Amino acid sequence: MLGYIVKRLISLAISLIVASVVIFVVVEIAPGDPASFMLGINAQPDTVAALRTELGLDQSKFDRYLSWVGGMLTGDFGTSYTYRTPVAQMIVDRMWVSLPLALFALTLSTLIAFPAGIFAAARRGGPGDLAVTGATQLGVAIPNFWFAMMLVLIFAIQLRWFSAGGFPGWEKGFWGGMKALTLPAIALALPQAAILTRVMRSSLLDILGEDFMRTARAKGLSARQALWRHGLRNALIPVLTIIGLQFAFLLAGAIIIEQVFFLPGLGRLIFQAITQRDLIVVESVVMLLVFAVIMVNFLVDLAYAAVDPRLRTRV
Amino acid sequence: MSLLSIETLSLAIHGTPILKGISLEIAEGEITALTGESGSGKSMTAFATMGLLPKGVTTTGAITFDGENLLSLPEPQMCDLRGREIGMVFQEPMTALNPVQTIGAQVMETILIHKAMAPDRAEKRAREVLGRVGLPPDRFPLSRYPHELSGGQRQRVIIAMAIALRPRLLIADEPTTALDVTTQAQILDLLKRLVKEDGMALMMITHDLAVVSDMAHTLNVMRQGEIVEAGPTSEVLREMRHPYTRQLFEASRHQADLGAARAAAPLLSVRNVSRDYPLPRTSLFGARPMFQAVKNVSFDIKRGERVGLVGESGCGKSTLTRAILGLEPTQGGQITLDGDPVWQDGHANLTVRRKMQVVFQDPYGSFNPRHRVARLITEPFHLLPDPPKGAARDTAIAKALSAVGLKPEDADRHIHAFSGGQRQRIAIARALIIKPDLIVFDEAVSALDVRVRAQILDLMADLSRAYGLTYLFISHDLSVVRSITDRVMVMRAGEIVEDRATAEIYAAPDHPYTRELMNAAPQLPDFPEAQDAPHPAL
């Protein structure tokens, strides 16, 4: 087990180093000089040069990479070119919206997908299964921004249960914040729940055909007992993989939903930073997201080992 | 009165009849065998008794267990009966246990699900019963996982689960088919002992007549959903009233006509070959430990010779085969075919590769289902520098298919249109098409029913006589190897322990391991009629 964790940790570190190099190089290749962009097209060349020096853009690329990585390791993410505020503070502020939103959506999607997937698998080919599979088709097909607008129309404009957008901040109380995140989380969770339901269903169906399920029935377990005691845990591995991928996607990929609901999240931050050539913000946020994805994968790997004893001994 | 009685049981899946009015009786303390080829309905009989039939099955007749008709018993009461009164053991020990639960939890589950005892007593019983099946708790604690056990040990765990509550009837569906001969002998002994000690009834399902010939009290021979012959085992085997029983019996001891042995110049030469595999690291920085799967093995195969390679799983025979085929490099020694090395400059030597072909075990998994037969059997053409095209290609296909007893028109069909035996013929056609010198048969008839197996063995012998082909025949099954080879090599733990002419080795095995294998292999009894069968000179 220890060997397994050490091996995963080494692979985690290597992934992070490779990712940081790739992110740095890609952002450097992107056209547009931040200094000229900030000063506008009429700026004098010496003013631009002075700003470049001030921003550190005149140093060699290697030095700039080292100082960027070194800064991040000490919690200094640099200063935004456009807002002139520390990037770390900007990210922390946005995280307070994006992270709860992602967790909220993931919880919803898991709470929907597990029962729905198990329900459908246990009734393979029956009307219940057809209804669930049909609903998941719809869930995958509906664009989530359209679904989000429908939610706003119904629950915010017609029924006035929720506000149509914006985020009051957690200072005004936990429930106020949760209320503002509810509609966006539902909009985000719907397609994820549909995908996860399908994975849960097909994974369980695979397991139900296994020999050991028949052994369980031969011991005297009912079909339902066999499914819960022997089927579920074995079916969990592919489901965990998808949950890991979905969390990463929800953290970074909520740009459109954040736009629809005017939420100050990470997605909007990175979108604005790109349009303003705020390289240091782009680099830092992307690196942070990569870090989050890799960490989630690491946790998923640990979860695999917890579920499946065969992985603990295989080094 | 008998414990289980099946009366005119008929069974159909979506209208297709599977069982056609079978009747049999099993008394306590008695072993009843159901034998027959695949598709004869023997497993369906077992599942009907367990009440575990697939969806879409309709049944008529009655299965009476201890006075109750199981076919009309509601599911909750069936659940109560399964595991408590009727236990079942399956064919595939590798997959029949839940991989994420400990063996202790799985054995205890049988006891706990029936609320037969409190958890602490159930744990004690689990230890006892594992000890009874030959897994003493000091060496096999309850906390073991299935993947830490071998196939034979896993089968013991499954038997322990089935007998934990001392059921009155045990159903064993091909319990030893997936196991090596020595393990098979141990498991059969265990089953016999349990029947004797507990007075349990055993329904034993097997396709292998030899397995049940000396253990079953009564024998039921099944064919196409009917019991064609039934009675006390010795009587059935002695009289063989039904022609099908006789066919099965003769096919199991079938001897292919190989023609005279031909001694000529060596074709394949294996010199001091070793194969190492890295094992998982034990420490983070130390060198990886190595496992030597093949240890300094040397032998020759002469042109036209038919040689068998026998050994139990894990003995290194598959590893050696891959090295001979040039699929993997060796870590020492050299393999040459006709004087040329099979592995050269870090890759397989193509001029040698086109002189050998291989036929694998699984007639279902070894073909791409989307291709037609013509494309499947011409696959080895990529080995040729100038493969035949157009009419020459069609002629080659027609010739290869005719040689294996199929029709040239079969070239346009897909593989799903063929039975297991026909597929194995197609696999042989694929090997023949580039006119190789050496054909390696890797367990090529192990998955076939006895009668089909006998036909395929005859085909192999015919082809060898007609084309002077050299065979390397790899199998765990001693009787199959005996019928198709001039010479046998016995392999154990990476070494060849005995290498002699087939007739000699079967008459008087030299090495203790060979003797052990022969004693463990189930034997059909000898009857005067059977000895009249043509016995070719080897």
Side-chain angles (χ1 to χ4, degrees), chain B residues 55-105:
Chain B
K55 277 182 193 160
V57 168
T58 48
T59 49
T60 59
I63 302 177
T64 315
F65 177 81
D66 199 19
E68 267 192 293
N69 185 1
L70 299 184
L71 289 180
S72 56
L73 209 59
E75 173 63 15
Q77 287 173 46
M78 253 342 267
C79 282
D80 189 46
L81 214 61
R82 280 185 219 120
R84 182 202 287 275
E85 297 282 329
I86 310 177
M88 185 158 178
V89 176
F90 302 93
Q91 170 170 2
E92 203 34 86
M94 299 313 274
T95 51
L97 288 169
N98 183 347
V100 304
Q101 278 187 6
T102 61
I103 58 171

Side-chain angles (χ1 to χ4, degrees), chain A:
Chain A
M1 186 68 190
L2 191 68
Y4 178 83
I5 294 176
V6 169
K7 209 177 162 193
R8 293 286 130 213
L9 277 173
I10 292 172
S11 122
L12 183 146
I14 295 173
S15 310
L16 283 177
I17 293 169
V18 172
S20 69
V21 173
V22 171
I23 290 166
F24 186 79
V25 169
V26 168
V27 172
E28 285 299 313
I29 293 171
D33 177 41
S36 356
F37 190 85
M38 285 160 74
L39 293 171
I41 41 171
N42 297 324
Q44 297 295 317
D46 53 336
T47 330
V48 174
L51 185 61
R52 285 177 64 87
T53 316
E54 191 195 325
L55 294 175
L57 292 172
D58 57 342
Q59 293 167 21
S60 81
K61 293 203 157 52
F62 186 67
D63 288 341
R64 280 172 51 214
Y65 173 74
L66 281 189
S67 63
W68 176 58
V69 172
M72 277 194 299
L73 288 176
T74 54
D76 175 13
F77 284 63
T79 307
S80 159
Y81 300 156
T82 16
Y83 299 105
R84 300 295 176 122
T85 49
V87 177
Q89 189 53 49
M90 293 171 70
I91 291 177
V92 167
D93 289 346
R94 304 302 180 106
M95 273 300 243
W96 275 108
V97 178
S98 282
L99 193 62
L101 180 60
L103 288 173
F104 195 173
L106 195 70
T107 310
L108 280 180
S109 103
T110 311
L111 285 180
I112 297 168
F114 270 60
I118 295 168
F119 176 86
R123 289 161 185 74
R124 179 181 201 170
D129 182 22
L130 286 180
V132 171
T133 353
T136 61
Q137 297 268 20
L138 212 63
V140 175
I142 292 177
N144 65 0
F145 62 87
W146 179 84
F147 182 63
M149 290 189 292
M150 290 302 113
L151 287 176
V152 170
L153 273 177
I154 297 168
F155 293 101
I157 296 175
Q158 290 293 324
L159 298 171
R160 296 181 177 277
W161 291 356
F162 296 95
S163 65
F167 186 69
W170 297 105
E171 308 81 41
K172 306 259 169 62
F174 176 74
W175 293 112
M178 288 302 278
K179 201 175 166 192
L181 291 182
T182 302
L183 289 185
I186 293 173
L188 278 173
L190 176 83
Q192 308 302 329
I195 295 169
L196 201 60
T197 304
R198 296 177 78 93
V199 174
M200 186 79 216
R201 174 181 174 276
S202 69
S203 172
L204 250 182
L205 283 182
D206 282 349
I207 296 295
L208 291 183
E210 291 280 344
D211 285 352
F212 60 78
M213 296 303 290
R214 195 181 54 189
T215 311
R217 296 300 311 282
K219 282 199 245 181
L221 275 75
S222 68
R224 173 186 285 265
Q225 285 171 322
L227 185 142
W228 284 96
R229 291 174 181 224
H230 294 275
L232 209 54
R233 191 162 153 199
N234 277 290
L236 225 50
I237 290 249
V239 175
L240 284 174
T241 313
I242 300 295
I243 290 181
L245 292 174
Q246 290 192 338
F247 180 71
F249 171 79
L250 289 172
L251 199 58
I255 297 184
I256 295 173
I257 293 299
E258 285 176 4
Q259 290 288 357
V260 173
F261 290 97
F262 303 106
L263 293 177
L266 277 179
R268 278 180 85 193
L269 174 66
I270 196 168
F271 180 69
Q272 287 161 356
I274 290 170
T275 51
Q276 290 158 349
R277 300 293 181 279
D278 202 343
L279 294 193
I280 190 82
V281 174
V282 176
E283 279 170 353
S284 304
V285 176
V286 172
M287 191 61 213
L288 188 84
L289 290 173
V290 168
F291 177 74
V293 171
I294 291 175
M295 277 313 288
V296 168
N297 279 340
F298 174 71
L299 293 177
V300 169
D301 279 342
L302 292 190
Y304 285 166
V307 169
D308 192 338
R310 285 168 295 184
L311 293 172
R312 285 172 227 162
T313 41
R314 194 182 303 159
V315 181

Side-chain angles (χ1 to χ4, degrees), chain B residues 133-214:
Chain B
V133 299
L135 299 174
D138 48 325
R139 282 175 49 222
F140 299 95
L142 298 182
S143 58
R144 286 283 190 102
Y145 283 99
H147 70 273
E148 297 167 316
L149 304 176
S150 71
Q153 289 163 347
R154 291 186 206 193
Q155 195 63 299
R156 287 172 193 269
V157 175
I158 294 163
I159 293 173
M161 281 174 5
I163 62 156
L165 288 175
R166 306 213 166 185
R168 295 162 69 193
L169 171 66
L170 181 67
I171 302 176
D173 186 2
E174 304 271 6
T176 58
T177 306
L179 303 172
D180 284 325
V181 273
T182 46
T183 319
Q184 162 167 297
Q186 290 160 8
I187 296 289
L188 293 177
D189 279 344
L190 170 64
L191 288 173
K192 277 187 269 189
R193 200 187 83 214
L194 293 172
V195 168
K196 206 168 186 177
E197 288 174 2
D198 292 4
M200 184 171 65
L202 174 63
M203 185 200 284
M204 175 90 182
I205 291 166
T206 177
H207 69 283
D208 191 344
L209 269 179
V211 162
V212 287
S213 63
D214 72 331

